[in-house]
Amino acid sequence: MSTISALANVHSVGQFGDHENKNDNDLLKISEIKDLLIVQIVQYKNSSISFESIDIDGLNLKDEPLSVVNNNETRILWNGPKNWFLISTKKDLLNNVLEAFKETDFAVTNLSHSRAIIEIEGEEAIEVLKKGCPFNFNTLKKNNSINSTYNGIAFTVDKLDDNPNKIRLFTLRSFGESLHHSITDASLEFGYKSL
């Protein structure tokens, strides 16, 4: 059985919008990211276990707003008080997570197939997000993460890099097409290359 991409019906490869007479470096790059492990980890309110000492892929959880701890394969996004998203290219990391976070103290949920992921890269990526989201993106730095809405669609923003801006957007799979249309429409002004 093969998986079907959340954006299979809408994500087309090519150049769109104001792309004429611009080189590839001047265009935004929009792509769908697939095959990531996405796990939500929530510590129960009555749990007294210290989560700071738990190590997953060399990373420790950090209960600090906007924070992201990461290495080359794995990112752990703060999602709320004692609530995190673990995102990794290592699919087998799920076994380590289930072993490290005991079910008596943590709820661990595999969300890998329930999210659509859009990555947008380029100097104007922040301007695209400003068009549909009320958050002040001038304050968002590399390795920061927020939860907000874009044109009424709930999403999570993970800023991977500052130079150039590289941002991953996560939304529920059922909202994936709508978010994709919103992001690509907002990108037409700058011109974008869909990968």
Side-chain angles (χ1 to χ4, degrees):
M1 177 180 237
S2 63
T3 59
I4 298 171
S5 156
L7 304 177
N9 297 324
V10 294
H11 188 74
S12 302
V13 175
Q15 291 184 349
F16 303 92
D18 186 19
H19 65 83
E20 293 178 16
N21 302 321
K22 290 185 178 177
N23 66 39
D24 275 358
N25 294 335
D26 294 333
L27 295 175
L28 288 167
K29 292 170 187 64
I30 298 177
S31 54
E32 179 187 15
I33 306 299
K34 304 179 224 173
D35 297 324
L36 290 179
L37 173 68
I38 305 171
V39 178
Q40 184 174 20
I41 302 164
V42 179
Q43 186 173 17
Y44 297 132
K45 288 182 182 178
N46 62 355
S47 171
S48 59
I49 298 292
S50 172
F51 58 82
E52 290 95 351
S53 61
I54 300 174
D55 180 292
I56 296 294
D57 199 25
L59 303 171
N60 298 90
L61 302 180
K62 196 172 177 184
D63 199 16
E64 183 180 307
L66 305 178
S67 68
V68 177
V69 292
N70 65 315
N71 60 30
N72 290 337
E73 293 88 20
T74 304
R75 299 178 65 80
I76 301 175
L77 288 60
W78 181 85
N79 198 41
K82 296 187 178 182
N83 185 336
W84 302 268
F85 274 166
L86 179 141
I87 296 145
S88 183
T89 56
K90 296 179 176 178
K91 294 280 195 151
D92 59 344
L93 197 58
L94 180 59
N95 295 330
N96 298 14
V97 171
L98 292 170
E99 193 176 296
F101 296 99
K102 303 298 180 205
E103 64 183 29
T104 54
D105 295 291
F106 296 90
V108 176
T109 309
N110 186 349
L111 303 175
S112 301
H113 299 293
S114 70
R115 296 290 186 267
I117 308 165
I118 299 168
E119 191 168 279
I120 181 168
E121 180 178 354
E123 292 305 319
E124 304 297 342
I126 294 296
E127 295 305 313
V128 169
L129 295 178
K130 286 179 181 178
K131 288 182 176 185
C133 181
F135 183 77
N136 179 5
F137 283 99
N138 295 331
T139 64
L140 194 70
K141 306 292 181 219
K142 180 179 177 180
N143 294 326
N144 279 177
S145 173
I146 64 154
N147 293 310
S148 191
T149 61
Y150 192 90
N151 292 339
I153 302 165
F155 76 147
T156 299
V157 176
D158 178 15
K159 188 159 187 190
L160 303 170
D161 208 343
D162 280 330
N163 192 13
N165 290 312
K166 188 174 187 180
I167 301 161
R168 271 194 197 145
L169 311 174
F170 299 83
T171 192
L172 291 172
R173 185 181 179 93
S174 57
F175 295 140
E177 288 187 17
S178 296
L179 181 63
H180 186 273
H181 285 304
S182 289
I183 293 295
T184 54
D185 282 352
S187 300
L188 289 171
E189 171 189 352
F190 309 109
Y192 72 92
K193 185 175 185 175
S194 188
L195 308 172

Short mmCIF file of all heavy atoms in Angstrom, two decimals, residues 133-158:
data_model
loop_
_atom_site.label_atom_id
_atom_site.label_comp_id
_atom_site.label_asym_id
_atom_site.label_seq_id
_atom_site.Cartn_x
_atom_site.Cartn_y
_atom_site.Cartn_z
N CYS A 133 -1.50 36.09 8.08
CA CYS A 133 -1.35 35.70 9.48
C CYS A 133 -1.14 36.94 10.35
O CYS A 133 -0.34 37.80 10.01
CB CYS A 133 -0.16 34.75 9.62
SG CYS A 133 0.12 34.17 11.30
N PRO A 134 -1.81 37.01 11.51
CA PRO A 134 -1.70 38.20 12.36
C PRO A 134 -0.41 38.28 13.18
O PRO A 134 -0.14 39.30 13.80
CB PRO A 134 -2.91 38.07 13.29
CG PRO A 134 -3.17 36.61 13.37
CD PRO A 134 -2.80 36.07 12.01
N PHE A 135 0.41 37.24 13.17
CA PHE A 135 1.64 37.24 13.98
C PHE A 135 2.65 38.25 13.42
O PHE A 135 2.74 38.45 12.21
CB PHE A 135 2.25 35.83 13.98
CG PHE A 135 3.48 35.70 14.82
CD1 PHE A 135 3.40 35.60 16.19
CD2 PHE A 135 4.75 35.69 14.23
CE1 PHE A 135 4.54 35.49 16.98
CE2 PHE A 135 5.89 35.57 15.00
CZ PHE A 135 5.78 35.48 16.38
N ASN A 136 3.43 38.86 14.29
CA ASN A 136 4.49 39.79 13.88
C ASN A 136 5.73 38.98 13.49
O ASN A 136 6.56 38.66 14.33
CB ASN A 136 4.82 40.76 15.01
CG ASN A 136 5.94 41.71 14.64
OD1 ASN A 136 6.43 41.72 13.51
ND2 ASN A 136 6.35 42.51 15.59
N PHE A 137 5.85 38.66 12.21
CA PHE A 137 6.94 37.80 11.75
C PHE A 137 8.30 38.48 11.80
O PHE A 137 9.32 37.82 11.63
CB PHE A 137 6.65 37.28 10.34
CG PHE A 137 5.66 36.16 10.34
CD1 PHE A 137 4.33 36.40 10.04
CD2 PHE A 137 6.04 34.88 10.69
CE1 PHE A 137 3.41 35.38 10.06
CE2 PHE A 137 5.12 33.85 10.71
CZ PHE A 137 3.80 34.09 10.41
N ASN A 138 8.36 39.78 12.05
CA ASN A 138 9.65 40.45 12.22
C ASN A 138 10.37 39.96 13.47
O ASN A 138 11.58 40.12 13.60
CB ASN A 138 9.46 41.97 12.29
CG ASN A 138 8.94 42.53 10.98
OD1 ASN A 138 9.20 42.00 9.92
ND2 ASN A 138 8.17 43.59 11.07
N THR A 139 9.64 39.38 14.41
CA THR A 139 10.24 38.88 15.65
C THR A 139 10.61 37.40 15.57
O THR A 139 11.28 36.89 16.47
CB THR A 139 9.28 39.08 16.85
OG1 THR A 139 8.10 38.28 16.65
CG2 THR A 139 8.91 40.53 17.02
N LEU A 140 10.18 36.71 14.52
CA LEU A 140 10.46 35.28 14.40
C LEU A 140 11.88 35.06 13.90
O LEU A 140 12.26 35.54 12.84
CB LEU A 140 9.46 34.62 13.44
CG LEU A 140 9.42 33.10 13.47
CD1 LEU A 140 8.81 32.61 14.77
CD2 LEU A 140 8.61 32.57 12.29
N LYS A 141 12.67 34.34 14.67
CA LYS A 141 14.08 34.09 14.36
C LYS A 141 14.28 32.63 13.95
O LYS A 141 13.40 31.79 14.11
CB LYS A 141 14.96 34.40 15.58
CG LYS A 141 14.77 35.80 16.14
CD LYS A 141 15.29 36.84 15.19
CE LYS A 141 15.12 38.23 15.77
NZ LYS A 141 14.74 39.21 14.82
N LYS A 142 15.48 32.34 13.49
CA LYS A 142 15.86 30.97 13.16
C LYS A 142 15.65 30.09 14.39
O LYS A 142 15.94 30.49 15.51
CB LYS A 142 17.33 30.94 12.73
CG LYS A 142 17.83 29.57 12.37
CD LYS A 142 19.28 29.65 11.93
CE LYS A 142 19.82 28.26 11.63
NZ LYS A 142 21.23 28.33 11.20
N ASN A 143 15.12 28.89 14.18
CA ASN A 143 14.82 27.92 15.24
C ASN A 143 13.79 28.44 16.23
O ASN A 143 13.87 28.20 17.42
CB ASN A 143 16.09 27.45 15.95
CG ASN A 143 16.98 26.67 15.02
OD1 ASN A 143 16.51 25.94 14.15
ND2 ASN A 143 18.28 26.81 15.16
N ASN A 144 12.80 29.15 15.70
CA ASN A 144 11.60 29.53 16.45
C ASN A 144 10.41 28.84 15.79
O ASN A 144 10.43 28.54 14.60
CB ASN A 144 11.35 31.04 16.41
CG ASN A 144 12.19 31.83 17.38
OD1 ASN A 144 12.12 33.03 17.39
ND2 ASN A 144 12.97 31.19 18.22
N SER A 145 9.37 28.65 16.59
CA SER A 145 8.15 28.02 16.09
C SER A 145 6.94 28.68 16.73
O SER A 145 6.98 29.05 17.91
CB SER A 145 8.18 26.53 16.44
OG SER A 145 6.96 25.92 16.12
N ILE A 146 5.87 28.83 15.96
CA ILE A 146 4.62 29.39 16.49
C ILE A 146 3.44 28.59 15.98
O ILE A 146 3.53 27.89 14.97
CB ILE A 146 4.43 30.87 16.10
CG1 ILE A 146 4.29 31.02 14.57
CG2 ILE A 146 5.52 31.75 16.64
CD1 ILE A 146 3.51 32.24 14.13
N ASN A 147 2.31 28.74 16.66
CA ASN A 147 1.02 28.24 16.20
C ASN A 147 0.15 29.46 15.95
O ASN A 147 0.09 30.35 16.79
CB ASN A 147 0.37 27.34 17.24
CG ASN A 147 1.13 26.06 17.44
OD1 ASN A 147 1.45 25.37 16.49
ND2 ASN A 147 1.44 25.75 18.68
N SER A 148 -0.51 29.51 14.80
CA SER A 148 -1.37 30.65 14.49
C SER A 148 -2.37 30.22 13.42
O SER A 148 -2.61 29.02 13.23
CB SER A 148 -0.52 31.84 14.01
OG SER A 148 -1.31 33.00 13.94
N THR A 149 -2.92 31.21 12.72
CA THR A 149 -3.82 30.92 11.60
C THR A 149 -3.36 31.69 10.38
O THR A 149 -2.76 32.75 10.49
CB THR A 149 -5.27 31.34 11.92
OG1 THR A 149 -5.32 32.74 12.16
CG2 THR A 149 -5.84 30.56 13.08
N TYR A 150 -3.64 31.13 9.22
CA TYR A 150 -3.36 31.79 7.95
C TYR A 150 -4.67 31.78 7.17
O TYR A 150 -5.15 30.70 6.80
CB TYR A 150 -2.27 31.05 7.18
CG TYR A 150 -1.73 31.84 6.00
CD1 TYR A 150 -0.67 32.70 6.17
CD2 TYR A 150 -2.31 31.75 4.75
CE1 TYR A 150 -0.18 33.45 5.11
CE2 TYR A 150 -1.84 32.49 3.68
CZ TYR A 150 -0.77 33.34 3.87
OH TYR A 150 -0.29 34.08 2.81
N ASN A 151 -5.24 32.96 6.95
CA ASN A 151 -6.55 33.06 6.30
C ASN A 151 -7.56 32.11 6.94
O ASN A 151 -8.34 31.45 6.25
CB ASN A 151 -6.45 32.81 4.80
CG ASN A 151 -5.69 33.90 4.09
OD1 ASN A 151 -5.56 35.01 4.57
ND2 ASN A 151 -5.18 33.58 2.91
N GLY A 152 -7.54 32.03 8.27
CA GLY A 152 -8.49 31.21 9.01
C GLY A 152 -8.11 29.74 9.14
O GLY A 152 -8.84 28.97 9.76
N ILE A 153 -6.96 29.34 8.60
CA ILE A 153 -6.52 27.94 8.65
C ILE A 153 -5.47 27.80 9.75
O ILE A 153 -4.43 28.48 9.72
CB ILE A 153 -5.91 27.51 7.30
CG1 ILE A 153 -6.93 27.68 6.17
CG2 ILE A 153 -5.41 26.07 7.36
CD1 ILE A 153 -6.34 27.62 4.78
N ALA A 154 -5.73 26.94 10.72
CA ALA A 154 -4.77 26.71 11.80
C ALA A 154 -3.51 26.06 11.24
O ALA A 154 -3.59 25.11 10.45
CB ALA A 154 -5.38 25.83 12.88
N PHE A 155 -2.35 26.61 11.64
CA PHE A 155 -1.09 26.03 11.17
C PHE A 155 0.02 26.26 12.17
O PHE A 155 -0.08 27.07 13.08
CB PHE A 155 -0.73 26.55 9.78
CG PHE A 155 -0.18 27.96 9.69
CD1 PHE A 155 0.76 28.27 8.73
CD2 PHE A 155 -0.58 28.99 10.55
CE1 PHE A 155 1.28 29.57 8.60
CE2 PHE A 155 -0.07 30.27 10.43
CZ PHE A 155 0.87 30.56 9.45
N THR A 156 1.09 25.50 12.01
CA THR A 156 2.30 25.64 12.81
C THR A 156 3.41 26.11 11.87
O THR A 156 3.55 25.59 10.76
CB THR A 156 2.70 24.29 13.46
OG1 THR A 156 1.64 23.88 14.33
CG2 THR A 156 3.98 24.40 14.25
N VAL A 157 4.19 27.09 12.33
CA VAL A 157 5.29 27.65 11.55
C VAL A 157 6.59 27.26 12.23
O VAL A 157 6.75 27.45 13.43
CB VAL A 157 5.18 29.19 11.48
CG1 VAL A 157 6.37 29.78 10.75
CG2 VAL A 157 3.88 29.61 10.84
N ASP A 158 7.52 26.70 11.47
CA ASP A 158 8.85 26.34 11.98
C ASP A 158 9.87 27.03 11.09
O ASP A 158 9.98 26.72 9.90
CB ASP A 158 9.02 24.82 11.94
CG ASP A 158 10.39 24.36 12.41
OD1 ASP A 158 11.12 25.15 13.05
OD2 ASP A 158 10.73 23.19 12.16
#
